[in-house]
Amino acid sequence: MACRISELVLDCADAERLAAFWSEVLGYVELGREADGSIEIGPPDTGFGGPQPTLVLSPSSDPRTGKLPLHIDVNATDRDQDAELERLLALGARPADVGQTGTENWHVLADPEGNVFCLLHARLQHP
Amino acid sequence: MACRISELVLDCADAERLAAFWSEVLGYVELGREADGSIEIGPPDTGFGGPQPTLVLSPSSDPRTGKLPLHIDVNATDRDQDAELERLLALGARPADVGQTGTENWHVLADPEGNVFCLLHARLQHP
């Protein structure tokens, strides 16, 4: 192995808002802030450099067009998919339509800025 | 913790080509294929559901416009940044310009389909 995925960087309009949302979704905590307004969140136990990637919310005014060419899939760790879906919707996620048939065993959602992500079916253990 | 990042899904024109490239970059192996032509690659030791996310190369004809709103940062695990940069360029990565100043301690690269990712400075341990 020669490289490891350490961070995911998400351009956004409102880094505070998305950092709050994704911290709740992933159980992440704030790890640091940069002068450009970026906020990095990550696992409370391992932080940057651990096996799970951190997430950097990076303020940007670049235009957005539709579905992300790269998107995140998540799995619930401490409840089933239905219960986790309820929790995500209560946090501000919205159902999204990317052309799925509706018979899939995953849910397509959008975060508060419309970034599409999926909630998969399997329940995973906390690593 | 209630959700975990399990997969990253990258839309692409040529899933075979990108699966080969990213497998070399990350030391991943093929985990499976779907009827739609998607190829999933992941860590050889933990596969899907381990602490490191897998990567799904998903064939798509959606138009691409410029820089990805979500991108991956990677760190070398078994050599320094300069040596890893050489290796990535030999694999088919290309230097990319997203407006960086050139004084950053990371390198901005593009994969064979132009997806921008960054090689950060720190060398990380294999998790």
Side-chain angles (χ1 to χ4, degrees):
Chain A
M1 184 172 187
C3 266
R4 188 143 64 81
I5 298 172
S6 53
E7 292 181 345
L8 301 171
V9 184
L10 180 59
D11 292 347
C12 59
D14 185 341
E16 291 284 356
R17 185 181 185 204
L18 284 203
F21 174 81
W22 282 101
S23 290
E24 290 292 336
V25 170
L26 298 171
Y28 278 10
V29 296
E30 185 174 321
L31 299 177
R33 289 175 180 238
E34 298 292 333
D36 69 356
S38 292
I39 303 174
E40 182 156 20
I41 62 174
D45 43 355
T46 52
F48 178 86
Q52 276 270 292
T54 62
L55 183 61
V56 179
L57 293 313
S58 176
S60 168
S61 56
D62 289 349
R64 289 294 187 86
T65 50
K67 178 165 162 267
L68 292 180
L70 176 67
H71 75 260
I72 293 172
D73 287 347
V74 300
N75 287 64
T77 57
D78 55 8
R79 64 198 78 191
D80 67 18
Q81 188 189 32
D82 288 346
E84 187 58 21
L85 176 63
E86 270 187 48
R87 191 182 76 92
L88 296 179
L89 294 172
L91 288 173
R94 290 162 305 164
D97 182 357
V98 294
Q100 71 270 32
T101 64
T103 59
E104 295 85 0
N105 68 355
W106 61 84
H107 295 282
V108 184
L109 299 168
D111 78 5
E113 290 195 7
N115 300 301
V116 167
F117 67 105
C118 297
L119 173 64
L120 304 187
H121 185 258
R123 181 169 154 180
L124 296 182
Q125 288 199 310
H126 192 309
Chain B
M1 184 171 187
C3 266
R4 188 142 64 81
I5 298 171
S6 53
E7 293 182 344
L8 302 171
V9 184
L10 180 59
D11 293 347
C12 59
D14 185 341
E16 291 284 355
R17 184 182 186 203
L18 284 203
F21 174 80
W22 282 101
S23 290
E24 290 292 336
V25 170
L26 299 171
Y28 279 9
V29 296
E30 185 175 320
L31 299 177
R33 288 174 181 239
E34 298 292 333
D36 69 355
S38 293
I39 303 174
E40 182 156 20
I41 61 173
D45 43 355
T46 53
F48 178 85
Q52 275 270 291
T54 62
L55 183 61
V56 179
L57 293 314
S58 175
S60 168
S61 56
D62 289 348
R64 289 295 185 85
T65 50
K67 180 166 161 267
L68 293 181
L70 176 67
H71 74 260
I72 292 171
D73 286 347
V74 300
N75 287 64
T77 58
D78 54 8
R79 63 199 78 191
D80 68 19
Q81 188 189 31
D82 288 346
E84 186 59 21
L85 176 63
E86 270 187 49
R87 192 183 75 93
L88 295 179
L89 294 171
L91 288 173
R94 291 161 305 164
D97 182 357
V98 294
Q100 71 270 30
T101 65
T103 59
E104 294 86 0
N105 68 354
W106 61 87
H107 295 282
V108 184
L109 299 168
D111 79 4
E113 289 195 7
N115 301 301
V116 168
F117 66 105
C118 297
L119 172 64
L120 304 187
H121 186 258
R123 181 169 154 181
L124 296 183
Q125 287 199 310
H126 191 311

